[in-house]
Amino acid sequence: MTPATAAERSDAARNRERLLAAAREIIQEGGAQALTMDRLAERAGVGKGTVFRRFGSRAGLLLTLLDDSEAAFQERFLFGPPPLGPGAPGLERLVAFGAARIAYVVEFGDLVLAAENASRSSRFEVPAAALWHRHIEVLLREEGFTSDPWLMAGSLGAALDPGRLLNLVRVHGITADRLAASWQDLVTRVVKGA
Amino acid sequence: MTPATAAERSDAARNRERLLAAAREIIQEGGAQALTMDRLAERAGVGKGTVFRRFGSRAGLLLTLLDDSEAAFQERFLFGPPPLGPGAPGLERLVAFGAARIAYVVEFGDLVLAAENASRSSRFEVPAAALWHRHIEVLLREEGFTSDPWLMAGSLGAALDPGRLLNLVRVHGITADRLAASWQDLVTRVVKGA
DNA sequence: AGGCTAAACGGACCACGGTCCGTTTCTATT
DNA sequence: AATAGAAACGGACCGTGGTCCGTTTAGCCT
């Protein structure tokens, strides 16, 4: 029962585990900024080429590290209980989505930020981003928003940009509650507006 | 009549001119991406240390290169004729501001983008950004927006993020007109909304 | 078991942004 | 004009992300 996609060689699997474990160690000790590709290779006892073969780039590595929490987050707003998941009206889900996203960014801030600005120009290819975008768009449509919902979804999503949110929280000391309130105000006005 | 701030030494001034000229040449020939600090130093016939002494960093250099057009842009929305400048109602000025910003980003896209992601994490310290932020905030207040106008100004500003706009224009082929229309829709709803 | 091939490996190498510090050059002062 | 000291200069040097390619190894096939 070999899967359609060629199976992973055992040494490759072992090294992937080693690398992820080492990466988590390094981050725990010194933050995301301490995670350099050279150090990681050394710590995991593999060659540098292997690190890049596995993850493609530093951005790819960070994305992989975030993968679990990302998936959990997606699970919640796609299939979880309302108001975040399906079952509540679109506007309520939008409001909940913003609040959840803000909480998420605050929790995993370091990593998210590092992943964002590690990707060589444009965080717009991150697959997860496309999903949020689409999610917002769908909710807008559900609320009867008809004038270019795709672009509007992007504009709203930009308000939840991790770099921005973290800057507000860390540098300006804005609380998550205040951010969530402003987000609620924003989406409410957009949905009910003019 | 020596100015309060120590005058610039003549060799320094000469080198600054040489560097800016060389930088513009390089960009004209190969785009912003071709502008490396080593190449610039070589082309201008100065040492690498001199480049960094003058501009501090690559981001600083790019900002300097943008300085003229930046200043002109600011001039227009601060003191120019309505609807962009003072004299028109706040909402109209907001709409015009978005359109002008979109046009600006499309025109100087390369440079703006390069400057943005050259700055070591967080384009939020660019002084010009603070000015737009404040401008939007003032216009919101003028329109009677009272619930956390500062944060709302930031959220709206995020919709005009150069990286985002350029991605939409270049990768997705969205026209400037469509972007401007969506911006108008957004700010109208926010100002008039619920 | 032995061998074959594709996959995985490793580390030297590159380009780039940025720092450092010994050397040179400008300019104000006498 | 000579001089002193601050400012500017230059380029070797470093850490980093990323590439390349010759070498090793897993795992299937006979």
Side-chain angles (χ1 to χ4, degrees), chain B residues 9 15 47 49-50 53-54:
Chain B
R9 243 170 68 171
N15 279 338
T50 301
R53 155 168 284 266
R54 280 272 86 77

Side-chain angles (χ1 to χ4, degrees), chain B residues 21 33 35 40 46 60 68 75 98 102 106-107 120 127 132 137 140 144 146 170 177 179 182 186-187:
Chain B
Q33 154 244 349
L35 182 68
L40 173 59
V46 305
D68 291 349
E75 182 80 16
I102 290 164
V106 167
E107 180 171 4
R120 211 91 206 114
W132 312 324
E137 185 191 353
L140 282 177
T146 54
R170 296 197 178 160
D177 281 354
L179 289 174
S182 185
L186 173 63
V187 292

Side-chain angles (χ1 to χ4, degrees), chain A residues 9 11-12 15 45-50 53-54:
Chain A
R9 242 171 67 170
D11 52 346
N15 278 337
V46 305
K48 192 180 183 179
T50 301
R53 155 168 284 265
R54 279 273 85 77

Side-chain angles (χ1 to χ4, degrees), chain A residues 20-35 39 43 62 65 110-111:
Chain A
L20 288 177
R24 293 211 164 86
E25 276 177 38
I26 293 174
I27 288 174
Q28 192 134 29
E29 290 168 17
Q33 154 242 346
L35 181 68
R39 207 198 306 271
R43 181 75 152 258
L62 291 165
L65 254 2
D110 246 20
L111 237 23

Side-chain angles (χ1 to χ4, degrees), chain A residues 128-192:
Chain A
L131 197 61
W132 312 323
H133 189 169
R134 178 131 192 78
H135 185 61
I136 296 177
E137 185 191 354
V138 167
L139 294 179
L140 282 177
R141 293 199 132 100
E142 200 179 309
E143 285 287 347
F145 188 104
T146 54
S147 56
D148 217 333
W150 189 81
L151 267 189
M152 184 59 81
S155 295
L156 293 178
L160 297 176
D161 173 75
R164 192 179 99 83
L165 293 178
L166 274 175
N167 184 60
L168 288 170
V169 171
R170 296 197 176 160
V171 179
H172 296 273
I174 311 291
T175 64
D177 282 354
R178 190 168 156 208
L179 288 174
S182 185
W183 166 261
Q184 169 163 20
D185 191 24
L186 174 62
V187 292
T188 303
R189 285 169 185 264
V190 165
V191 166
K192 303 230 155 135

